[in-house]
Amino acid sequence: MHRRRRTALSVTAAALAAAPLLAACGGEAHPGAAAVVGGDRIEVSALQAQVRDVRDAQQASPESAELIRATGDLNREKLNGMIFDRVVDRVAAEQGVTASRKEIQQTRRAAAAQSGGEEQLAAMLLQQQGVAPGEIDAVVRRNVLMGKIAEKTGAGNDPAGQQRLAQVFGEASKAMRIDVNPRYGAWDDQKIQLGDYRAPWLRQVTTQQPAQPEQM
């Protein structure tokens, strides 16, 4: 049950500091954007809002100092996740899969039950993944979609399945022409992540079981 919970509610991570401007491939600047993904801007203000929500939740914890110290590079971590969410959405649309509100609620209830309750689930995600309480549904949605994508593409634990899934995500990422503020790093379409950071999400996608919220 513990392995399943971690698989179902894994979230991306990265490291480094924020910056106010984004230099596009053509040399044109996008003031106020942390990234441009598929033509859509991720505003620095939106990124900072996510970081602030996490910091506020950490400050309210009895273990605040430890939590903050463990997520010192939160700006880049959150931008990593915000970009990846958009790649997931594109792949989900291409594969014709969706995550209904009912599925998200059922999956979250199952995870909370396995964690010992909603408070324990929120505390675990804040401590282990730097996820604010208001972000939990988004994390659950992402992983419901990722499980369905893995199932739809026939990805399993075998190397061929993992390679196929990585190719699907890589092609989608490349097609979205992701531009990142240079101070955050550069987006790697093959690794589906910022810079040289080793993100765990492709491993998580290929090892997690397809979401089956109706049975949870």
Side-chain angles (χ1 to χ4, degrees):
M1 293 175 65
H2 177 68
R3 189 178 76 83
R4 186 178 183 184
R5 180 179 69 244
R6 291 188 57 149
T7 301
L9 286 172
S10 298
V11 67
T12 62
L16 211 60
L21 296 177
L22 168 70
C25 293
E28 181 182 353
H30 299 271
V36 176
V37 183
D40 294 329
R41 294 162 58 95
I42 296 178
E43 303 291 348
V44 170
S45 58
L47 172 60
Q48 291 174 341
Q50 282 206 10
V51 171
R52 185 166 54 250
D53 287 344
V54 174
R55 291 301 187 212
D56 288 346
Q58 290 173 333
Q59 290 285 0
S61 170
E63 303 171 341
S64 59
E66 179 181 348
L67 292 175
I68 293 171
R69 186 165 54 248
T71 53
D73 298 314
L74 196 56
N75 283 291
R76 193 165 182 241
E77 175 181 342
K78 286 303 173 184
L79 180 58
N80 226 345
M82 293 171 81
I83 295 172
F84 185 67
D85 278 343
R86 286 157 174 79
V87 179
V88 172
D89 285 343
R90 182 183 179 105
V91 175
E94 292 174 346
Q95 297 296 323
V97 300
T98 61
S100 69
R101 182 63 184 166
K102 180 179 179 181
E103 288 174 316
I104 294 169
Q105 290 174 338
Q106 289 178 327
T107 303
R108 177 169 177 167
R109 283 198 298 268
Q114 292 169 353
S115 302
E118 276 285 342
E119 289 187 9
Q120 289 80 358
L121 174 64
M124 180 193 72
L125 290 177
L126 180 64
Q127 179 180 24
Q128 296 182 4
Q129 307 291 347
V131 176
E135 298 173 350
I136 295 177
D137 276 356
V139 173
V140 174
R141 177 183 178 274
R142 175 197 302 164
N143 285 277
V144 170
L145 287 175
M146 289 166 67
K148 289 186 175 185
I149 291 167
E151 182 177 24
K152 187 72 177 288
T153 58
N157 292 327
D158 60 289
Q162 295 179 19
Q163 184 177 5
R164 184 165 56 251
L165 189 63
Q167 182 178 356
V168 168
F169 273 83
E171 289 176 353
S173 175
K174 186 176 181 179
M176 296 176 80
R177 299 181 179 275
I178 298 168
D179 257 337
V180 177
N181 184 310
R183 293 192 184 181
Y184 291 104
W187 186 258
D188 189 321
D189 290 320
Q190 292 184 329
K191 296 181 179 179
I192 328 295
Q193 63 190 22
L194 279 172
D196 295 327
Y197 173 73
R198 186 178 178 182
W201 51 60
L202 287 181
R203 175 180 57 79
Q204 292 162 356
V205 172
T206 55
T207 58
Q208 79 179 83
Q209 297 296 314
Q212 297 180 345
E214 304 298 337
Q215 302 173 9
M216 295 175 82

